[in-house]
Amino acid sequence: MDLKNVGIKDIRFPVKIREKGGTRQDTVALITLQVNTPKQFCEDCVSTLLGLLGKYGDDISPPAFPALLKELKTELMADSAKLTMTFPYFIEKKAPVTKTAGLMEYTCSFTGTSENDDDLIMSMWVPTTTLCPCSKEISKYGAHNQRAEIRLDVKFSDFIWLEDLISMVESGASCEVFSLLKRPDEKYVTEKAYENPMFVEDAVRKVAGLASAHPSITWFSVGVESFESIHKHSAYAIVTSDTMGC
Amino acid sequence: MDLKNVGIKDIRFPVKIREKGGTRQDTVALITLQVNTPKQFCEDCVSTLLGLLGKYGDDISPPAFPALLKELKTELMADSAKLTMTFPYFIEKKAPVTKTAGLMEYTCSFTGTSENDDDLIMSMWVPTTTLCPCSKEISKYGAHNQRAEIRLDVKFSDFIWLEDLISMVESGASCEVFSLLKRPDEKYVTEKAYENPMFVEDAVRKVAGLASAHPSITWFSVGVESFESIHKHSAYAIVTSDTMGC
Amino acid sequence: MDLKNVGIKDIRFPVKIREKGGTRQDTVALITLQVNTPKQFCEDCVSTLLGLLGKYGDDISPPAFPALLKELKTELMADSAKLTMTFPYFIEKKAPVTKTAGLMEYTCSFTGTSENDDDLIMSMWVPTTTLCPCSKEISKYGAHNQRAEIRLDVKFSDFIWLEDLISMVESGASCEVFSLLKRPDEKYVTEKAYENPMFVEDAVRKVAGLASAHPSITWFSVGVESFESIHKHSAYAIVTSDTMGC
Amino acid sequence: MDLKNVGIKDIRFPVKIREKGGTRQDTVALITLQVNTPKQFCEDCVSTLLGLLGKYGDDISPPAFPALLKELKTELMADSAKLTMTFPYFIEKKAPVTKTAGLMEYTCSFTGTSENDDDLIMSMWVPTTTLCPCSKEISKYGAHNQRAEIRLDVKFSDFIWLEDLISMVESGASCEVFSLLKRPDEKYVTEKAYENPMFVEDAVRKVAGLASAHPSITWFSVGVESFESIHKHSAYAIVTSDTMGC
């Protein structure tokens, strides 16, 4: 029997991620590596991974990730390798009315599964607001709303910045979420969500529509989990480009 | 040096909890035990705990808990012992308008720290809704709202049912939460929350006021964490009866 | 666009699981349901699920699970449905030498994805011990060892009890784990692990071999995560019957 | 009723931590703030906190933390304030024999509760190995061992580097843990742990003894959780300088 996928799980390492603005952002990645290698696991995987993180870790980006993965495969004489880096990523965002700036945090990840550049999957978990259309329709005033997390995974033909994908996802919910809001901003987001009611399936459809229309996205998956304010459980919807009847 | 607090952490065991209605509810407890004992830790703690859970575990209640703890101390020849059982607890709750019944789940725990019966702490984590007064006041329509978890810890002179404490906590938020709501119920909870806006500190004050007025509660702590629908972070407030300027 | 997979996530419900011994075990399940349904999500999914859990929940078993899933699909007029129940499951286990009995807890789950009975996946997470062959070989005495969690997922043609699958998994590591061990038992498990050193990939291979040879298992996946005692990260290996070069 | 402790919970922010070597380390902090303030919670807390993190966040150290906290209190007109920052912290560590360097990650936190500098608590969670003395004594060969996490909290009169505290904690277990070990290193740590067996209470006693003897530590708490390799539960011990019968 030929064993696939030996590896290491949950090792943390400080990395720098290339930002759209041209600078690099310091963050901390949680890393998992799986390889199909004839080398002895006992020390080689960790040693090679840490060595290459030292070499590549201060300039991680979608173009650089496949190069790191390729060198990892070569050094480990592996038939295949899968590397995932998950990290908090910060984007300065301006409040919608007062334009007060604040850092928003998003969880993002890169997953590479071969040496083909287009196998790279970029993933992001984006907090948003959903407001229930049913609750709005039947109530004299108000409508229940809640934080909802949208997860997007994409493969792509041409490079796309995390900043642009996150912005696309944020436009798909009842309203986007901010770290810092002054009173005029809070009025704005409250009213915008009320004017824009969405079930989880509506948010999934909207983000999936945007992803389908994006010229560089070749595959995607969109999931929305809404932490219902009137229940203890979550509402959930998911779609992938494979199963869409487009 | 005299070592305090050797123990075992995170052992699961099936238990039955005495319900207000007279029956016993099957659930699964996560158990932590700390003791100050001269006995060898290597096997005695686990052996004694599992043995006594076998004896007491099928009828756990605030009156029975101190008896279990006392026997544990005696068998382990301990100067002191602290036992915590945390478990999901289910209560059948009727929707507010249609009276449709559904099981609601609450996390609850019992913590005993000595052989005095009144040292028992009952804790519960109760999901509720909070609706922001500021957002309501400044917006043309709507108001942001979200799930908020209220944690109540109490010591008591006379026995109180978990059911009654949970019901008291639920009355302290903008609206309570249900597992199952039909359309007329959803209209009711949406409107009730809108009519009853509360910051986290308002909810803390209301539950603290109810706890202060309760004739059997001798000490309490109330904390509210609101999973803000317009932010990624939580709003939080806490008060204990010790620090209240009553 | 035809949306797949709307659902509810993370709802808890008390259930009874059919045991090998003929009795039923009370536990608490964490439940996720995804359906492709034309019905309005707002209330129907939860209402139908809770109703059917009331009907089926007190006798959950691999044969009963598909019946529950089928009725769920029919009531929701769904093209497809996926239901997962994850629960702590307790088995009384005797210590290897003194035969002292103690309850061991395992996380288990059932996942059904269609109305075909053989699509049911049974999963279990089994704590075991792994002892490093490399460390044993190179050291004068001792060898590092640690808790390792083995996850097994199986599809099957003929019914298999969770008890039998768990027992099969436990035979695949350096040594199995117990809730309660007396001194002669502790001597036994220490020596057995030392006599039986295994890397994560060895444990995966052994369990995969047993699963391959089982007449009723038609598909499986085995993963082992070893919480290395000499590192902060885990060693990991995984194989599925699809990718095995058997 | 005068409400204490309104705040925000679980906001992430990139910070730089002052290192012993003179440089500053980029990491990401999880931040919780509680204040007793007459100001309106709705926006002021977050706005003030984010503003001051912008000012102080690129040079966080035990001396700078109280200054940040003091300015926070002043701006919020608060009677009291409590600020916690928890972050992964990396230290380059050399393997014991081959001296191969690798980055080790530790979770650390700073908690300030007033404007007095000596109220600052530094906390760290340090992975180590414990090897069971009982298992070693009764077995022909081998001894069960496992990863054990030691948590140390300290108050201090004179500044102490995180690097020095972590090194002190690591000397208190059966053996310390590394990110990268070559074969001669693995032989060393295996044998060292075997030569140095410790129950959780032994590790607690040893670290408590070192903390007691440290001239700058004015208060401490030490807890050890050992993820037993022969059980599913953890062994646990804890002591604080308050309760030690020294």
PDB file of all heavy atoms in Angstrom, chain C residues 118-123 151-157 160 165 211-212 214-222 238-244:
ATOM      1  N   ASP C 118     -26.919   2.665   1.636  1.00  0.00           N
ATOM      2  CA  ASP C 118     -25.473   2.449   1.685  1.00  0.00           C
ATOM      3  C   ASP C 118     -24.671   3.733   1.509  1.00  0.00           C
ATOM      4  O   ASP C 118     -23.462   3.695   1.414  1.00  0.00           O
ATOM      5  CB  ASP C 118     -25.031   1.390   0.664  1.00  0.00           C
ATOM      6  CG  ASP C 118     -25.363   1.819  -0.752  1.00  0.00           C
ATOM      7  OD1 ASP C 118     -25.936   2.914  -0.914  1.00  0.00           O
ATOM      8  OD2 ASP C 118     -25.054   1.059  -1.668  1.00  0.00           O
ATOM      9  N   ASP C 119     -25.360   4.865   1.467  1.00  0.00           N
ATOM     10  CA  ASP C 119     -24.628   6.123   1.440  1.00  0.00           C
ATOM     11  C   ASP C 119     -24.311   6.623   2.840  1.00  0.00           C
ATOM     12  O   ASP C 119     -23.646   7.641   3.006  1.00  0.00           O
ATOM     13  CB  ASP C 119     -25.426   7.198   0.708  1.00  0.00           C
ATOM     14  CG  ASP C 119     -25.124   7.168  -0.784  1.00  0.00           C
ATOM     15  OD1 ASP C 119     -24.282   6.350  -1.194  1.00  0.00           O
ATOM     16  OD2 ASP C 119     -25.730   7.954  -1.514  1.00  0.00           O
ATOM     17  N   LEU C 120     -24.795   5.945   3.847  1.00  0.00           N
ATOM     18  CA  LEU C 120     -24.545   6.385   5.213  1.00  0.00           C
ATOM     19  C   LEU C 120     -23.057   6.263   5.544  1.00  0.00           C
ATOM     20  O   LEU C 120     -22.427   5.242   5.274  1.00  0.00           O
ATOM     21  CB  LEU C 120     -25.358   5.512   6.186  1.00  0.00           C
ATOM     22  CG  LEU C 120     -25.276   5.946   7.645  1.00  0.00           C
ATOM     23  CD1 LEU C 120     -25.987   7.275   7.852  1.00  0.00           C
ATOM     24  CD2 LEU C 120     -25.865   4.882   8.543  1.00  0.00           C
ATOM     25  N   ILE C 121     -22.510   7.330   6.107  1.00  0.00           N
ATOM     26  CA  ILE C 121     -21.128   7.303   6.582  1.00  0.00           C
ATOM     27  C   ILE C 121     -21.139   7.309   8.108  1.00  0.00           C
ATOM     28  O   ILE C 121     -21.781   8.152   8.725  1.00  0.00           O
ATOM     29  CB  ILE C 121     -20.338   8.525   6.068  1.00  0.00           C
ATOM     30  CG1 ILE C 121     -20.208   8.480   4.538  1.00  0.00           C
ATOM     31  CG2 ILE C 121     -18.945   8.585   6.700  1.00  0.00           C
ATOM     32  CD1 ILE C 121     -19.530   9.690   3.940  1.00  0.00           C
ATOM     33  N   MET C 122     -20.459   6.325   8.695  1.00  0.00           N
ATOM     34  CA  MET C 122     -20.252   6.336  10.142  1.00  0.00           C
ATOM     35  C   MET C 122     -18.824   6.811  10.389  1.00  0.00           C
ATOM     36  O   MET C 122     -17.890   6.319   9.752  1.00  0.00           O
ATOM     37  CB  MET C 122     -20.430   4.939  10.727  1.00  0.00           C
ATOM     38  CG  MET C 122     -21.887   4.483  10.726  1.00  0.00           C
ATOM     39  SD  MET C 122     -22.169   3.113  11.893  1.00  0.00           S
ATOM     40  CE  MET C 122     -21.383   1.787  11.000  1.00  0.00           C
ATOM     41  N   SER C 123     -18.676   7.763  11.316  1.00  0.00           N
ATOM     42  CA  SER C 123     -17.353   8.302  11.624  1.00  0.00           C
ATOM     43  C   SER C 123     -17.100   8.192  13.122  1.00  0.00           C
ATOM     44  O   SER C 123     -18.029   8.265  13.918  1.00  0.00           O
ATOM     45  CB  SER C 123     -17.261   9.783  11.227  1.00  0.00           C
ATOM     46  OG  SER C 123     -17.673   9.964   9.894  1.00  0.00           O
ATOM     47  N   ARG C 151      -9.126   9.075  13.297  1.00  0.00           N
ATOM     48  CA  ARG C 151     -10.466   9.259  12.757  1.00  0.00           C
ATOM     49  C   ARG C 151     -10.706   8.234  11.668  1.00  0.00           C
ATOM     50  O   ARG C 151      -9.926   8.130  10.732  1.00  0.00           O
ATOM     51  CB  ARG C 151     -10.615  10.662  12.169  1.00  0.00           C
ATOM     52  CG  ARG C 151     -11.952  10.829  11.475  1.00  0.00           C
ATOM     53  CD  ARG C 151     -12.115  12.172  10.813  1.00  0.00           C
ATOM     54  NE  ARG C 151     -13.354  12.163  10.045  1.00  0.00           N
ATOM     55  CZ  ARG C 151     -13.990  13.240   9.630  1.00  0.00           C
ATOM     56  NH1 ARG C 151     -13.502  14.422   9.907  1.00  0.00           N
ATOM     57  NH2 ARG C 151     -15.108  13.148   8.937  1.00  0.00           N
ATOM     58  N   LEU C 152     -11.794   7.490  11.804  1.00  0.00           N
ATOM     59  CA  LEU C 152     -12.178   6.534  10.765  1.00  0.00           C
ATOM     60  C   LEU C 152     -13.560   6.909  10.240  1.00  0.00           C
ATOM     61  O   LEU C 152     -14.488   7.136  11.025  1.00  0.00           O
ATOM     62  CB  LEU C 152     -12.220   5.109  11.336  1.00  0.00           C
ATOM     63  CG  LEU C 152     -12.752   4.024  10.379  1.00  0.00           C
ATOM     64  CD1 LEU C 152     -11.815   3.805   9.199  1.00  0.00           C
ATOM     65  CD2 LEU C 152     -12.992   2.708  11.124  1.00  0.00           C
ATOM     66  N   ASP C 153     -13.704   6.963   8.913  1.00  0.00           N
ATOM     67  CA  ASP C 153     -15.010   7.116   8.261  1.00  0.00           C
ATOM     68  C   ASP C 153     -15.247   5.873   7.417  1.00  0.00           C
ATOM     69  O   ASP C 153     -14.334   5.476   6.680  1.00  0.00           O
ATOM     70  CB  ASP C 153     -15.020   8.329   7.326  1.00  0.00           C
ATOM     71  CG  ASP C 153     -14.673   9.625   8.017  1.00  0.00           C
ATOM     72  OD1 ASP C 153     -13.471   9.871   8.227  1.00  0.00           O
ATOM     73  OD2 ASP C 153     -15.585  10.379   8.347  1.00  0.00           O
ATOM     74  N   VAL C 154     -16.435   5.313   7.482  1.00  0.00           N
ATOM     75  CA  VAL C 154     -16.722   4.126   6.646  1.00  0.00           C
ATOM     76  C   VAL C 154     -18.107   4.197   6.017  1.00  0.00           C
ATOM     77  O   VAL C 154     -19.044   4.741   6.587  1.00  0.00           O
ATOM     78  CB  VAL C 154     -16.659   2.798   7.461  1.00  0.00           C
ATOM     79  CG1 VAL C 154     -15.281   2.564   8.055  1.00  0.00           C
ATOM     80  CG2 VAL C 154     -17.727   2.741   8.551  1.00  0.00           C
ATOM     81  N   LYS C 155     -18.196   3.647   4.800  1.00  0.00           N
ATOM     82  CA  LYS C 155     -19.471   3.216   4.218  1.00  0.00           C
ATOM     83  C   LYS C 155     -19.472   1.693   4.263  1.00  0.00           C
ATOM     84  O   LYS C 155     -18.409   1.072   4.304  1.00  0.00           O
ATOM     85  CB  LYS C 155     -19.617   3.694   2.774  1.00  0.00           C
ATOM     86  CG  LYS C 155     -19.717   5.203   2.639  1.00  0.00           C
ATOM     87  CD  LYS C 155     -19.979   5.578   1.172  1.00  0.00           C
ATOM     88  CE  LYS C 155     -19.935   7.087   0.984  1.00  0.00           C
ATOM     89  NZ  LYS C 155     -20.190   7.465  -0.415  1.00  0.00           N
ATOM     90  N   PHE C 156     -20.674   1.085   4.244  1.00  0.00           N
ATOM     91  CA  PHE C 156     -20.719  -0.358   4.495  1.00  0.00           C
ATOM     92  C   PHE C 156     -21.895  -0.986   3.762  1.00  0.00           C
ATOM     93  O   PHE C 156     -22.891  -0.312   3.456  1.00  0.00           O
ATOM     94  CB  PHE C 156     -20.844  -0.617   5.997  1.00  0.00           C
ATOM     95  CG  PHE C 156     -21.924   0.204   6.640  1.00  0.00           C
ATOM     96  CD1 PHE C 156     -23.211  -0.300   6.762  1.00  0.00           C
ATOM     97  CD2 PHE C 156     -21.666   1.495   7.097  1.00  0.00           C
ATOM     98  CE1 PHE C 156     -24.209   0.459   7.328  1.00  0.00           C
ATOM     99  CE2 PHE C 156     -22.669   2.265   7.661  1.00  0.00           C
ATOM    100  CZ  PHE C 156     -23.939   1.747   7.775  1.00  0.00           C
ATOM    101  N   SER C 157     -21.742  -2.255   3.447  1.00  0.00           N
ATOM    102  CA  SER C 157     -22.830  -2.986   2.788  1.00  0.00           C
ATOM    103  C   SER C 157     -23.752  -3.617   3.835  1.00  0.00           C
ATOM    104  O   SER C 157     -24.966  -3.551   3.729  1.00  0.00           O
ATOM    105  CB  SER C 157     -22.253  -4.067   1.875  1.00  0.00           C
ATOM    106  OG  SER C 157     -21.348  -4.882   2.615  1.00  0.00           O
ATOM    107  N   ILE C 160     -22.690  -2.561  10.661  1.00  0.00           N
ATOM    108  CA  ILE C 160     -21.590  -2.787  11.603  1.00  0.00           C
ATOM    109  C   ILE C 160     -21.845  -1.925  12.840  1.00  0.00           C
ATOM    110  O   ILE C 160     -22.248  -0.768  12.712  1.00  0.00           O
ATOM    111  CB  ILE C 160     -20.217  -2.358  11.012  1.00  0.00           C
ATOM    112  CG1 ILE C 160     -20.079  -2.804   9.544  1.00  0.00           C
ATOM    113  CG2 ILE C 160     -19.073  -2.918  11.847  1.00  0.00           C
ATOM    114  CD1 ILE C 160     -18.831  -2.249   8.859  1.00  0.00           C
ATOM    115  N   LEU C 165     -16.329  -1.215  15.259  1.00  0.00           N
ATOM    116  CA  LEU C 165     -15.417  -0.356  14.493  1.00  0.00           C
ATOM    117  C   LEU C 165     -14.405   0.314  15.421  1.00  0.00           C
ATOM    118  O   LEU C 165     -13.216   0.398  15.113  1.00  0.00           O
ATOM    119  CB  LEU C 165     -16.212   0.712  13.731  1.00  0.00           C
ATOM    120  CG  LEU C 165     -17.011   0.190  12.527  1.00  0.00           C
ATOM    121  CD1 LEU C 165     -17.962   1.265  12.016  1.00  0.00           C
ATOM    122  CD2 LEU C 165     -16.065  -0.254  11.411  1.00  0.00           C
ATOM    123  N   ALA C 211      -9.500  -2.224   7.705  1.00  0.00           N
ATOM    124  CA  ALA C 211     -10.734  -1.781   7.045  1.00  0.00           C
ATOM    125  C   ALA C 211     -10.872  -2.432   5.667  1.00  0.00           C
ATOM    126  O   ALA C 211     -11.970  -2.835   5.264  1.00  0.00           O
ATOM    127  CB  ALA C 211     -10.750  -0.255   6.933  1.00  0.00           C
ATOM    128  N   SER C 212      -9.742  -2.550   4.942  1.00  0.00           N
ATOM    129  CA  SER C 212      -9.765  -3.197   3.621  1.00  0.00           C
ATOM    130  C   SER C 212     -10.222  -4.647   3.717  1.00  0.00           C
ATOM    131  O   SER C 212     -10.917  -5.159   2.842  1.00  0.00           O
ATOM    132  CB  SER C 212      -8.358  -3.189   3.005  1.00  0.00           C
ATOM    133  OG  SER C 212      -7.978  -1.902   2.639  1.00  0.00           O
ATOM    134  N   HIS C 214     -12.157  -5.939   5.988  1.00  0.00           N
ATOM    135  CA  HIS C 214     -13.481  -6.122   6.605  1.00  0.00           C
ATOM    136  C   HIS C 214     -14.507  -6.388   5.507  1.00  0.00           C
ATOM    137  O   HIS C 214     -14.632  -5.606   4.570  1.00  0.00           O
ATOM    138  CB  HIS C 214     -13.851  -4.865   7.393  1.00  0.00           C
ATOM    139  CG  HIS C 214     -15.003  -5.077   8.321  1.00  0.00           C
ATOM    140  ND1 HIS C 214     -16.273  -5.328   7.895  1.00  0.00           N
ATOM    141  CD2 HIS C 214     -15.051  -5.093   9.673  1.00  0.00           C
ATOM    142  CE1 HIS C 214     -17.074  -5.482   8.936  1.00  0.00           C
ATOM    143  NE2 HIS C 214     -16.338  -5.346  10.038  1.00  0.00           N
ATOM    144  N   PRO C 215     -15.252  -7.466   5.609  1.00  0.00           N
ATOM    145  CA  PRO C 215     -16.157  -7.841   4.510  1.00  0.00           C
ATOM    146  C   PRO C 215     -17.299  -6.849   4.280  1.00  0.00           C
ATOM    147  O   PRO C 215     -17.827  -6.793   3.175  1.00  0.00           O
ATOM    148  CB  PRO C 215     -16.704  -9.208   4.954  1.00  0.00           C
ATOM    149  CG  PRO C 215     -16.516  -9.250   6.442  1.00  0.00           C
ATOM    150  CD  PRO C 215     -15.282  -8.441   6.717  1.00  0.00           C
ATOM    151  N   SER C 216     -17.665  -6.063   5.279  1.00  0.00           N
ATOM    152  CA  SER C 216     -18.822  -5.172   5.115  1.00  0.00           C
ATOM    153  C   SER C 216     -18.462  -3.733   4.772  1.00  0.00           C
ATOM    154  O   SER C 216     -19.339  -2.936   4.466  1.00  0.00           O
ATOM    155  CB  SER C 216     -19.663  -5.167   6.395  1.00  0.00           C
ATOM    156  OG  SER C 216     -20.048  -6.469   6.740  1.00  0.00           O
ATOM    157  N   ILE C 217     -17.179  -3.393   4.861  1.00  0.00           N
ATOM    158  CA  ILE C 217     -16.794  -1.999   4.587  1.00  0.00           C
ATOM    159  C   ILE C 217     -16.561  -1.819   3.088  1.00  0.00           C
ATOM    160  O   ILE C 217     -15.751  -2.506   2.482  1.00  0.00           O
ATOM    161  CB  ILE C 217     -15.527  -1.607   5.389  1.00  0.00           C
ATOM    162  CG1 ILE C 217     -15.846  -1.628   6.890  1.00  0.00           C
ATOM    163  CG2 ILE C 217     -15.014  -0.232   4.962  1.00  0.00           C
ATOM    164  CD1 ILE C 217     -14.658  -1.321   7.799  1.00  0.00           C
ATOM    165  N   THR C 218     -17.294  -0.870   2.489  1.00  0.00           N
ATOM    166  CA  THR C 218     -17.203  -0.669   1.041  1.00  0.00           C
ATOM    167  C   THR C 218     -16.369   0.560   0.674  1.00  0.00           C
ATOM    168  O   THR C 218     -15.967   0.733  -0.475  1.00  0.00           O
ATOM    169  CB  THR C 218     -18.615  -0.488   0.440  1.00  0.00           C
ATOM    170  OG1 THR C 218     -19.260   0.595   1.133  1.00  0.00           O
ATOM    171  CG2 THR C 218     -19.449  -1.753   0.621  1.00  0.00           C
ATOM    172  N   TRP C 219     -16.154   1.451   1.633  1.00  0.00           N
ATOM    173  CA  TRP C 219     -15.327   2.647   1.437  1.00  0.00           C
ATOM    174  C   TRP C 219     -14.870   3.117   2.806  1.00  0.00           C
ATOM    175  O   TRP C 219     -15.590   2.964   3.787  1.00  0.00           O
ATOM    176  CB  TRP C 219     -16.139   3.756   0.748  1.00  0.00           C
ATOM    177  CG  TRP C 219     -15.410   5.072   0.681  1.00  0.00           C
ATOM    178  CD1 TRP C 219     -14.607   5.520  -0.314  1.00  0.00           C
ATOM    179  CD2 TRP C 219     -15.405   6.111   1.679  1.00  0.00           C
ATOM    180  NE1 TRP C 219     -14.098   6.760  -0.007  1.00  0.00           N
ATOM    181  CE2 TRP C 219     -14.574   7.147   1.204  1.00  0.00           C
ATOM    182  CE3 TRP C 219     -16.023   6.256   2.933  1.00  0.00           C
ATOM    183  CZ2 TRP C 219     -14.339   8.318   1.928  1.00  0.00           C
ATOM    184  CZ3 TRP C 219     -15.783   7.415   3.667  1.00  0.00           C
ATOM    185  CH2 TRP C 219     -14.953   8.435   3.149  1.00  0.00           C
ATOM    186  N   PHE C 220     -13.659   3.669   2.863  1.00  0.00           N
ATOM    187  CA  PHE C 220     -13.212   4.229   4.149  1.00  0.00           C
ATOM    188  C   PHE C 220     -12.179   5.323   3.955  1.00  0.00           C
ATOM    189  O   PHE C 220     -11.564   5.452   2.889  1.00  0.00           O
ATOM    190  CB  PHE C 220     -12.630   3.122   5.054  1.00  0.00           C
ATOM    191  CG  PHE C 220     -11.371   2.517   4.515  1.00  0.00           C
ATOM    192  CD1 PHE C 220     -10.131   3.129   4.735  1.00  0.00           C
ATOM    193  CD2 PHE C 220     -11.406   1.348   3.761  1.00  0.00           C
ATOM    194  CE1 PHE C 220      -8.965   2.583   4.220  1.00  0.00           C
ATOM    195  CE2 PHE C 220     -10.240   0.805   3.242  1.00  0.00           C
ATOM    196  CZ  PHE C 220      -9.022   1.416   3.467  1.00  0.00           C
ATOM    197  N   SER C 221     -11.995   6.092   5.021  1.00  0.00           N
ATOM    198  CA  SER C 221     -10.922   7.082   5.123  1.00  0.00           C
ATOM    199  C   SER C 221     -10.366   6.963   6.538  1.00  0.00           C
ATOM    200  O   SER C 221     -11.124   6.843   7.508  1.00  0.00           O
ATOM    201  CB  SER C 221     -11.499   8.478   4.863  1.00  0.00           C
ATOM    202  OG  SER C 221     -10.579   9.471   5.276  1.00  0.00           O
ATOM    203  N   VAL C 222      -9.038   6.956   6.665  1.00  0.00           N
ATOM    204  CA  VAL C 222      -8.388   6.888   7.981  1.00  0.00           C
ATOM    205  C   VAL C 222      -7.403   8.040   8.121  1.00  0.00           C
ATOM    206  O   VAL C 222      -6.540   8.218   7.249  1.00  0.00           O
ATOM    207  CB  VAL C 222      -7.559   5.597   8.168  1.00  0.00           C
ATOM    208  CG1 VAL C 222      -7.047   5.497   9.616  1.00  0.00           C
ATOM    209  CG2 VAL C 222      -8.325   4.366   7.784  1.00  0.00           C
ATOM    210  N   ILE C 238      -2.996  10.535   6.472  1.00  0.00           N
ATOM    211  CA  ILE C 238      -4.366  10.221   6.073  1.00  0.00           C
ATOM    212  C   ILE C 238      -4.338   9.359   4.819  1.00  0.00           C
ATOM    213  O   ILE C 238      -3.441   9.486   3.977  1.00  0.00           O
ATOM    214  CB  ILE C 238      -5.185  11.513   5.832  1.00  0.00           C
ATOM    215  CG1 ILE C 238      -6.659  11.189   5.600  1.00  0.00           C
ATOM    216  CG2 ILE C 238      -4.625  12.331   4.691  1.00  0.00           C
ATOM    217  CD1 ILE C 238      -7.562  12.414   5.688  1.00  0.00           C
ATOM    218  N   VAL C 239      -5.306   8.449   4.698  1.00  0.00           N
ATOM    219  CA  VAL C 239      -5.451   7.674   3.469  1.00  0.00           C
ATOM    220  C   VAL C 239      -6.939   7.382   3.266  1.00  0.00           C
ATOM    221  O   VAL C 239      -7.696   7.282   4.236  1.00  0.00           O
ATOM    222  CB  VAL C 239      -4.640   6.358   3.537  1.00  0.00           C
ATOM    223  CG1 VAL C 239      -5.289   5.349   4.474  1.00  0.00           C
ATOM    224  CG2 VAL C 239      -4.451   5.738   2.160  1.00  0.00           C
ATOM    225  N   THR C 240      -7.387   7.314   2.013  1.00  0.00           N
ATOM    226  CA  THR C 240      -8.749   6.858   1.746  1.00  0.00           C
ATOM    227  C   THR C 240      -8.665   5.650   0.835  1.00  0.00           C
ATOM    228  O   THR C 240      -7.671   5.449   0.135  1.00  0.00           O
ATOM    229  CB  THR C 240      -9.617   7.936   1.051  1.00  0.00           C
ATOM    230  OG1 THR C 240      -9.149   8.093  -0.281  1.00  0.00           O
ATOM    231  CG2 THR C 240      -9.542   9.262   1.784  1.00  0.00           C
ATOM    232  N   SER C 241      -9.714   4.843   0.848  1.00  0.00           N
ATOM    233  CA  SER C 241      -9.700   3.633   0.027  1.00  0.00           C
ATOM    234  C   SER C 241      -9.614   4.000  -1.455  1.00  0.00           C
ATOM    235  O   SER C 241      -9.116   3.225  -2.263  1.00  0.00           O
ATOM    236  CB  SER C 241     -10.931   2.770   0.307  1.00  0.00           C
ATOM    237  OG  SER C 241     -12.107   3.524   0.207  1.00  0.00           O
ATOM    238  N   ASP C 242     -10.068   5.198  -1.830  1.00  0.00           N
ATOM    239  CA  ASP C 242     -10.009   5.628  -3.225  1.00  0.00           C
ATOM    240  C   ASP C 242      -8.571   5.738  -3.732  1.00  0.00           C
ATOM    241  O   ASP C 242      -8.276   5.422  -4.880  1.00  0.00           O
ATOM    242  CB  ASP C 242     -10.647   7.022  -3.389  1.00  0.00           C
ATOM    243  CG  ASP C 242     -12.037   7.082  -2.803  1.00  0.00           C
ATOM    244  OD1 ASP C 242     -12.769   6.077  -2.944  1.00  0.00           O
ATOM    245  OD2 ASP C 242     -12.386   8.110  -2.209  1.00  0.00           O
ATOM    246  N   THR C 243      -7.678   6.237  -2.877  1.00  0.00           N
ATOM    247  CA  THR C 243      -6.333   6.569  -3.345  1.00  0.00           C
ATOM    248  C   THR C 243      -5.323   5.483  -3.014  1.00  0.00           C
ATOM    249  O   THR C 243      -4.149   5.605  -3.336  1.00  0.00           O
ATOM    250  CB  THR C 243      -5.857   7.880  -2.687  1.00  0.00           C
ATOM    251  OG1 THR C 243      -5.890   7.698  -1.268  1.00  0.00           O
ATOM    252  CG2 THR C 243      -6.727   9.040  -3.074  1.00  0.00           C
ATOM    253  N   MET C 244      -5.751   4.423  -2.354  1.00  0.00           N
ATOM    254  CA  MET C 244      -4.813   3.370  -1.990  1.00  0.00           C
ATOM    255  C   MET C 244      -4.425   2.570  -3.221  1.00  0.00           C
ATOM    256  O   MET C 244      -5.279   2.143  -3.991  1.00  0.00           O
ATOM    257  CB  MET C 244      -5.435   2.423  -0.972  1.00  0.00           C
ATOM    258  CG  MET C 244      -5.362   2.958   0.456  1.00  0.00           C
ATOM    259  SD  MET C 244      -6.357   1.938   1.550  1.00  0.00           S
ATOM    260  CE  MET C 244      -5.605   0.328   1.312  1.00  0.00           C
TER     261      MET C 244
END
